[in-house]
Amino acid sequence: MSAATQERKLAAILSADVVGYSRLMAEDEAGTIRTLTAYREQIGTLVREHRGRVVDSPGDNLLAEFPTALDAVQAAVEIQRVIGARNEDLAPERRMEFRIGIHMGDVAVEGERIYGDGVNIAARLEGLAEPGGICISDMVRGQTQRKLALGYEDLGEQQVKNVPEPVRVHRVQTAGAGTAARTEATEPRGTRTPLIVAAAVVLLASIGVIAWWTQSLESTLKVPPEQDPLLALPTGPTVAVLPFTNLSGDPEQEYFSDGLTDDIITALSRFRELFVIARNSTFVYKGRSVDVRELNRDLGARYVLEGSVRRAGTRLRVTVQLLDAKDGTHLWADTYDRDVSASDIFAVQDEITEQVAGTIASNYGVISRARLAETKGKPTDSLDAYECVLRVGAYYRDNYIAPEHVKVRACLERAVESDPDYADAWAWLAEIYLDEHRFNYNPRPDPLDRALEAARRAVDADPAHQDAHAALANAYFYRHELDGFLAEAERAIALNPNNAFVLASLGERFNHVGDPRGILLVNKAVKLDPFHPTWFNFPIAQYHLDNGEYEEALAAARKINIPGYFWPQIVLAAIYGKLGRENEGGAAVEELIRVYPGFTVAQFFVEARKWNLTADTTANYADGLRKSGLPEE
């Protein structure tokens, strides 16, 4: 490039590529080309709508530039939303998902082409994004975070190829937020409510009256904990779901907004740790402007979920927000935009219900994080039983290390001693005992027997408790009693199919034993919980490794951030070995041996046996580890 023809400018660069493109082409070349051509045309239109231009589109890649970071991020979010909606019309194995990376930087221009670090960094960020996801640099986040109603997950500094300095990366939370920054007007269109929803309303009202009355009675009469565990009230916070507001101006839309409210109440009620105020109590407030502190005072609600529905033709927009009823603090909000022209309206209703419930109520959800923040600063030995259970979520999300394990274990043992019928504490104590075996954290004699006993105590205390059955499934799994594992895992999932933690952890186990349901469960968990911890990427990386998709496996593995834990380095070393990247594989082996002194290929086979890895998966890992230089013995 000559100095005479070179121009330099600041631009926002968007890089996108197709996930699993080689597999799609191998299975159906003609169909893949048709889909890619159609999707490229759609993406090009969206790029132009946001003042951008497509610079190049070789193979399955696409490069675009925008005048501002705001334009680029808005375009990326809209692209993922539109492509996601179009994918719904395809069979799961034929869906074409894109990863997108965005960076704002200096680029060199020659004719229609652009070059430089700005382009390179955007391409590297794309490789860190999940299927259907967006990763942005710190500069892009700084220019957009106050202007767009989006969430961001800080992935920390990442060392990317051919860039000398680490790049701070953020994942854009795109679940349902695709058009949060857009302001399209919408108008109503009639719909209907199935009979099952109407029947559910009556049933929920009946159950709700009993539940609310029981709560009031308990506070007055001090119902003893020795009561039937099936009648025991949840120990966690109280949530009120206000009737969603119909903004369409069409009375017929009340059916949809009320039906969505009912479905969310039902979905949240499956999370046993929450006390969900019944429909008949919250619908008293329908059509009223309510100060959420009034609900805290009148209903004892600690959290209030409210929302609105607007529909115009085939366009549907649902907005949702969660508030702390003690002081009105805004905790979370999202917008769900859907095109219902090609979708069953009730399928859309189900999808939005699942995402709302999973985001706010799962073990890593908004409510758990808010409750955990209240315990910060308190020493572990001063926590009550419920706060001990909250600390487990923090341990599995952020402090996956042996010193934190021993604190949580001691806290939970005190919890079950003080309350022998507390199913939550027994279930999590079983998992903590399993960590002595699976991670070799603070081991004591017979961890598998203790874990099995604790899990059975949890199920006895509450036979309908999802976490109890999940813990029992895991206890059977590590004892290599796979029939028991499968039965309990299926039972746990059936009890609440919207709990991201349970779906991801059990999905990982299914994945290990070669059950194809595993990756489907994990993908659903990722979709349900935009704030999921990085360990969710373990089964994703393994799935791609098993299928020979090493670049995709590497992208997932590099998202795992658990300092001091040896398995991330096993995965990285194996993948680098399969890719023939000896230097990076050797570095991963060095780090592996640092955190697990004396680790060898022989020791890997011991670990693989613990986790019930199939013979093919084990051999694949071992081959990669050898190629990265891990000693045999």
Side-chain angles (χ1 to χ4, degrees):
M1 182 185 302
S2 68
T5 60
Q6 181 177 330
E7 171 194 347
R8 303 201 71 85
K9 66 178 180 180
L10 186 66
I13 308 302
L14 180 152
S15 177
D17 81 343
V18 176
V19 178
Y21 180 68
S22 298
R23 176 187 62 81
L24 291 169
M25 287 290 285
E27 292 176 355
D28 182 0
E29 182 176 295
T32 298
I33 292 173
R34 284 195 302 272
T35 301
L36 180 60
T37 300
Y39 281 14
R40 271 190 182 149
E41 291 176 356
Q42 179 72 71
I43 292 172
T45 299
L46 294 172
V47 166
R48 291 189 293 275
E49 286 179 358
H50 291 84
R51 304 194 300 157
R53 75 178 182 96
V54 175
V55 177
D56 200 4
S57 55
D60 64 320
N61 299 109
L62 182 140
L63 185 69
E65 67 164 337
F66 297 82
T68 70
L70 184 65
D71 291 322
V73 173
Q74 286 180 309
V77 172
E78 188 72 353
I79 287 167
Q80 296 294 35
R81 184 190 68 78
V82 171
I83 295 300
R86 294 186 67 162
N87 274 334
E88 293 298 320
D89 296 331
L90 300 176
E93 67 276 7
R94 299 306 307 158
R95 291 174 182 173
M96 185 174 288
E97 295 182 296
F98 286 79
R99 296 175 298 199
I100 295 177
I102 302 173
H103 177 59
M104 187 81 181
D106 181 67
V107 297
V109 183
E110 186 178 60
E112 296 297 312
R113 306 299 296 273
I114 56 176
Y115 306 87
D117 282 347
V119 177
N120 185 36
I121 292 174
R124 300 309 173 194
L125 295 179
E126 163 218 296
L128 297 174
E130 298 174 324
I134 304 165
C135 278
I136 62 176
S137 64
D138 201 47
M139 181 179 293
V140 173
R141 181 176 185 267
Q143 295 188 29
T144 60
Q145 64 179 335
R146 299 183 186 278
K147 302 174 184 177
L148 296 175
L150 297 171
Y152 302 91
E153 179 184 356
D154 188 347
L155 301 182
E157 291 190 339
Q158 302 284 335
Q159 189 68 56
V160 298
K161 186 177 180 181
N162 296 332
V163 177
E165 299 296 327
V167 179
R168 192 168 193 88
V169 182
H170 303 270
R171 178 186 295 141
V172 178
Q173 306 292 0
T174 60
T179 55
R182 297 168 65 88
T183 56
E184 306 151 298
T186 53
E187 294 300 332
R189 177 183 171 189
T191 186
R192 59 187 178 82
T193 299
L195 292 175
I196 190 170
V197 171
V201 168
V202 176
L203 178 60
L204 281 170
S206 303
I207 296 173
V209 170
I210 297 171
W212 190 30
W213 173 80
T214 307
Q215 182 187 40
S216 302
L217 187 63
E218 180 194 39
S219 62
T220 305
L221 302 179
K222 305 297 182 186
V223 179
E226 293 78 16
Q227 65 182 330
D228 184 340
L230 287 175
L231 301 179
L233 294 170
T235 54
T238 302
V239 182
V241 182
L242 289 178
F244 277 42
T245 304
N246 171 24
L247 299 179
S248 300
D250 179 357
E252 291 189 26
Q253 295 302 312
E254 295 293 324
Y255 292 120
F256 181 82
S257 58
D258 287 355
L260 182 60
T261 307
D262 291 331
D263 284 357
I264 291 175
I265 290 173
T266 303
L268 291 177
S269 298
R270 293 190 176 194
F271 291 87
R272 301 283 295 215
E273 62 274 19
L274 298 181
F275 187 101
V276 183
I277 299 295
R279 178 192 193 275
N280 65 297
S281 298
T282 56
F283 267 67
V284 170
Y285 299 90
K286 183 176 174 65
R288 292 171 47 187
S289 178
V290 182
D291 185 331
V292 295
R293 288 169 291 191
E294 179 184 342
L295 299 176
N296 179 257
R297 182 181 65 250
D298 295 348
L299 298 180
R302 176 58 194 274
Y303 300 100
V304 173
L305 187 76
E306 60 183 15
S308 64
V309 176
R310 187 190 298 270
R311 184 174 177 185
T314 63
R315 302 296 302 159
L316 176 71
R317 169 170 289 181
V318 177
T319 61
V320 190
Q321 63 176 344
L322 182 72
L323 304 170
D324 188 327
K326 281 182 64 178
D327 54 15
T329 300
H330 184 276
L331 298 176
W332 168 81
D334 212 338
T335 301
Y336 302 87
D337 286 290
R338 297 293 185 270
D339 181 352
V340 295
S341 59
S343 304
D344 182 344
I345 186 66
F346 300 115
V348 172
Q349 182 171 312
D350 290 344
E351 178 195 356
I352 294 174
T353 297
E354 289 179 353
Q355 292 192 8
V356 170
T359 299
I360 72 171
S362 71
N363 302 77
Y364 299 131
V366 178
I367 291 177
S368 291
R369 294 198 309 277
R371 299 288 286 184
L372 178 64
E374 298 175 5
T375 73
K376 290 290 178 64
K378 295 175 67 174
T380 311
D381 58 6
S382 70
L383 300 176
D384 65 22
Y386 176 65
E387 289 172 334
C388 283
V389 169
L390 284 177
R391 284 293 176 95
V392 177
Y395 161 72
Y396 280 121
R397 181 181 181 89
D398 303 318
N399 302 301
Y400 220 138
I401 54 177
E404 190 66 20
H405 169 268
V406 75
K407 294 178 185 177
V408 173
R409 183 177 68 185
C411 193
L412 288 173
E413 287 178 336
R414 289 193 301 272
V416 296
E417 183 177 355
S418 63
D419 185 356
D421 296 318
Y422 190 12
D424 297 79
W426 278 116
W428 289 114
L429 186 57
E431 297 285 1
I432 292 296
Y433 285 157
L434 287 173
D435 287 354
E436 298 178 34
H437 169 74
R438 54 191 167 195
F439 308 138
N440 201 34
Y441 283 174
N442 309 298
R444 299 183 302 196
D446 305 317
L448 293 181
D449 290 342
R450 283 183 281 112
L452 182 63
E453 175 61 22
R456 285 173 171 167
R457 290 289 298 268
V459 172
D460 289 344
D462 187 346
H465 198 300
Q466 182 187 36
D467 289 335
H469 286 280
L472 187 54
N474 281 329
Y476 284 133
F477 179 86
Y478 290 102
R479 295 169 69 88
H480 306 298
E481 299 174 16
L482 296 185
D483 288 343
F485 159 71
L486 290 171
E488 287 298 324
E490 290 168 358
R491 170 66 171 154
I493 293 167
L495 284 168
N496 184 358
N498 299 326
N499 188 331
F501 177 92
V502 170
L503 296 185
S505 61
L506 294 179
E508 182 179 36
R509 312 292 182 263
F510 279 121
N511 208 36
H512 287 333
V513 298
D515 191 316
R517 292 175 292 178
I519 192 63
L520 301 178
L521 291 169
V522 175
N523 286 340
K524 181 177 180 180
V526 169
K527 185 177 180 181
L528 285 174
D529 186 359
F531 309 103
H532 59 270
T534 63
W535 68 258
F536 279 31
N537 289 288
F538 271 123
I540 297 172
Q542 183 190 309
Y543 173 80
H544 289 302
L545 182 63
D546 285 343
N547 286 279
E549 299 166 348
Y550 302 130
E551 290 290 352
E552 289 85 351
L554 181 59
R558 291 178 65 177
K559 296 173 188 174
I560 302 168
N561 181 24
I562 312 174
Y565 181 42
F566 61 92
W567 260 101
Q569 303 308 318
I570 291 177
V571 176
L572 281 171
I575 295 170
Y576 282 130
K578 300 298 286 188
L579 285 169
R581 293 162 62 168
E582 296 177 1
N583 291 339
E584 291 155 302
V589 166
E590 287 182 11
E591 179 63 15
L592 169 58
I593 293 175
R594 186 188 70 79
V595 297
Y596 195 139
F599 194 83
T600 62
V601 173
Q603 182 60 36
F604 167 73
F605 280 99
V606 175
E607 296 296 335
R609 171 61 178 157
K610 279 185 186 178
W611 292 81
N612 288 299
L613 298 186
T614 65
D616 288 345
T617 295
T618 301
N620 203 23
Y621 268 109
D623 180 57
L625 291 170
R626 291 187 181 103
K627 289 177 178 177
S628 286
L630 184 67
E632 194 70 32
E633 294 184 356

